[in-house]
Amino acid sequence: MNWLSQNWERLGELLLNHVALSIPAIVISVLVAVPIGRLAFRKPILGGPVLGAASLLYAVPALPLLVVIPALAGLSPRSPWVMVIALSLYGIALLVRTSADAFAAVDRTVREGALAVGHSPASVFWRVDLPLALPVLIPGIRVVTVSTISLVTIGALIGVSSLGSLLTDGFQRGIVASVITGVVATVALALAFDGLLLLAGRVLTPWRRWSHEPRGGIPVDR
Amino acid sequence: MNLVEAFRWIADPGNWGGTSGIAARIVEHLWVTFLSLLAAAAVALPVGVLIGHTGRGAGVIGAFTGAFRAIPTLGLLTLFGLLLGIGLAAPMLALVILAIPSLLAGAYSGIHSVDPTIAGAARAIGMSPAQVITRVELPLALPVLIGGIRAATLQIVATATLAAYTADYGLGRYLFAGLKTRDYPQMIGGAIIVIALALILELLLAAVQRTIDQRVTRPSTREKLGSRHG
């Protein structure tokens, strides 16, 4: 606790860095993956290869990816952009399949009904398809958010500052309190974002009864 | 032109031999992956199967796998590294713990996805609970269960790279050594080898999963199992 009381400022600064790396990656993941997922659902000929590519991309280990991206993209190895690009790629890989599933879960007759009463295709997407896909989409975004926040820590290994710096500094200097603080702060941040998204989901899908989580198995990652 | 130099580093036969050569590092990496997977499976698979069979404790699995995703891998590795010292014990423990949620979820979801009427029919013709599990539920659960093993394997292979941060083991050494001495061809070359290894494992395990899926899935159960991994 003594260590923590002397390092409040640094903790706050690292927390901000952590958030600044996480949010762009999560937003980019959603903005890119949802249209691709919808395309994969609507054009199964494209969908198969796209989903296959996504699961291969997700299989690429994180640290090697962080090392290869600067060489491929011509960025400085320690640029925060390397981190954002890598995290976005994982987020997209994870979310494309969920998005395709989310749109597939929308009742076809509802979509056809909306077209029949005169909605334009764009209006069907924004006012029918997307809202009805949210119950599947939001849990997917929550998974991406939590794993992104947890993964940001790895950036510390290549010198990108985040709560992960508490882990590497703590290890190198033999300060257990620093490592534990890093772990606890990362988990707390992830759970806080997760809770926010859970609430957002409830607000955005008021027609669902939220007293019970959907029944069924637990999705296996990837 | 770091990439060209990285491939040149990989292509140099001089980097492949010896106790810290690429070949030896690949064997180390695969060995630690295999051992960790085995230990994690010994714990997680029986528990997952039992929970799937009885239906008791399913909520715990959901909460457990969800909460685990939030724990930073690097945090476990560095914490165990500090507590257990430099050596293979610390990363192994972290790898085993990290692999458990995927395996648990795979085993549970696999058994849970079996049509309850099939298990009921097996009981009705006089099978014991053990027979219902081993002869009916497990074979039908296999495609989903293998999916869990696939996820766990890839997670271990990826994390074993980080393990080199606290122990002199596996392909991650090239990354950290290269990073420290600014030997970028070595660093990027090592990264490319790890990525190739992970992708080969992924394709291999996906093929195994597909084969088993086709063999197990009969018309009567096709819809139920197929819906889980299209």
Side-chain angles (χ1 to χ4, degrees):
Chain A
M1 282 301 106
N2 201 17
W3 180 89
L4 189 58
S5 63
Q6 286 166 6
N7 289 275
W8 270 117
E9 258 177 54
R10 179 162 155 75
L11 180 62
E13 187 189 314
L14 294 176
L15 191 72
L16 281 183
N17 288 349
H18 205 103
V19 172
L21 290 168
S22 307
I23 289 182
I26 295 164
V27 171
I28 292 172
S29 303
V30 174
L31 291 183
V32 175
V34 170
I36 295 181
R38 185 171 139 98
L39 189 71
F41 158 68
R42 293 185 52 147
K43 303 262 184 324
I45 297 171
L46 282 173
V50 166
L51 296 181
S55 85
L56 263 189
L57 179 61
Y58 194 69
V60 175
L63 182 64
L65 185 63
L66 286 179
V67 167
V68 169
I69 284 176
L72 285 176
L75 289 164
S76 146
R78 278 154 206 241
S79 157
W81 281 108
V82 173
M83 208 58 218
V84 172
I85 292 173
L87 294 167
S88 303
L89 286 176
Y90 284 121
I92 292 165
L94 208 60
L95 207 52
V96 162
R97 178 170 292 271
T98 316
S99 309
D101 290 347
F103 289 111
V106 176
D107 192 340
R108 247 182 58 201
T109 56
V110 176
R111 190 177 294 129
E112 284 160 6
L115 281 171
V117 297
H119 278 284
S120 69
S123 163
V124 168
F125 174 75
W126 288 106
R127 297 170 72 173
V128 180
D129 256 355
L130 191 59
L132 289 178
L134 284 180
V136 180
L137 208 50
I138 287 185
I141 297 174
R142 286 172 58 197
V143 169
V144 167
T145 301
V146 171
S147 50
T148 298
I149 290 175
S150 158
L151 207 54
V152 167
T153 52
I154 290 177
L157 292 172
I158 55 160
V160 178
S161 165
S162 72
L163 289 172
S165 309
L166 293 176
L167 308 176
T168 49
D169 287 359
F171 178 73
Q172 271 157 14
R173 291 155 60 194
I175 306 169
V176 175
S178 170
V179 175
I180 291 178
T181 306
V183 172
V184 171
T186 307
V187 172
L189 187 66
L191 295 183
F193 272 72
D194 190 46
L196 281 179
L197 284 169
L198 179 73
L199 280 179
R202 290 186 190 193
V203 171
L204 288 172
T205 56
W207 63 90
R208 297 191 85 219
R209 281 190 292 130
W210 283 91
S211 50
H212 297 287
E213 287 285 312
R215 285 180 60 84
I218 292 140
V220 178
D221 279 358
R222 108 191 58 220
Chain B
M1 282 294 96
N2 275 327
L3 270 185
V4 176
E5 285 162 43
F7 280 109
R8 206 169 283 152
W9 179 83
I10 295 174
D12 182 353
N15 289 328
W16 280 80
T19 47
S20 60
I22 295 171
R25 291 288 188 197
I26 290 177
V27 171
E28 277 179 7
H29 207 98
L30 288 174
W31 180 236
V32 78
T33 300
F34 176 71
L35 282 184
S36 310
L37 186 69
L38 210 62
V43 178
L45 293 187
V47 175
V49 167
L50 269 182
I51 294 179
H53 178 73
T54 59
R56 277 184 215 144
V60 178
I61 291 200
F64 182 69
T65 50
F68 237 81
R69 210 175 273 124
I71 299 178
T73 312
L74 186 61
L76 284 190
L77 280 170
T78 46
L79 187 61
F80 292 157
L82 280 184
L83 299 179
L84 300 176
I86 311 240
L88 207 51
M92 279 280 288
L93 186 61
L95 293 177
V96 170
I97 290 177
L98 288 167
I100 285 178
S102 301
L103 293 169
L104 204 56
Y108 164 75
S109 301
I111 299 280
H112 186 78
S113 70
V114 175
D115 190 339
T117 56
I118 296 177
R123 263 194 302 279
I125 61 166
M127 283 194 181
S128 68
Q131 281 175 320
V132 173
I133 294 178
T134 55
R135 295 212 198 153
V136 180
E137 289 181 329
L138 263 183
L140 288 173
L142 216 51
V144 181
L145 195 145
I146 300 275
I149 294 178
R150 176 177 158 196
T153 306
L154 279 147
Q155 201 164 9
I156 297 176
V157 165
T159 313
T161 319
L162 301 182
Y165 185 62
T166 68
D168 180 15
Y169 207 81
L171 288 164
R173 272 329 294 172
Y174 293 124
L175 273 75
F176 290 110
L179 200 62
K180 206 172 202 173
T181 59
R182 295 183 180 260
D183 179 354
Y184 292 130
Q186 184 193 28
M187 180 178 84
I188 298 168
I192 290 170
I193 292 174
V194 179
I195 291 174
L197 191 67
L199 291 183
I200 290 169
L201 277 176
E202 159 75 5
L203 291 174
L204 218 65
L205 287 166
V208 169
Q209 194 180 2
R210 247 197 321 276
T211 313
I212 289 176
D213 195 18
Q214 278 159 7
R215 206 186 275 180
V216 165
T217 313
R218 305 218 168 83
S220 60
T221 56
R222 182 172 291 275
E223 209 177 323
K224 185 130 185 120
L225 284 167
S227 67
R228 288 185 183 273
H229 36 133

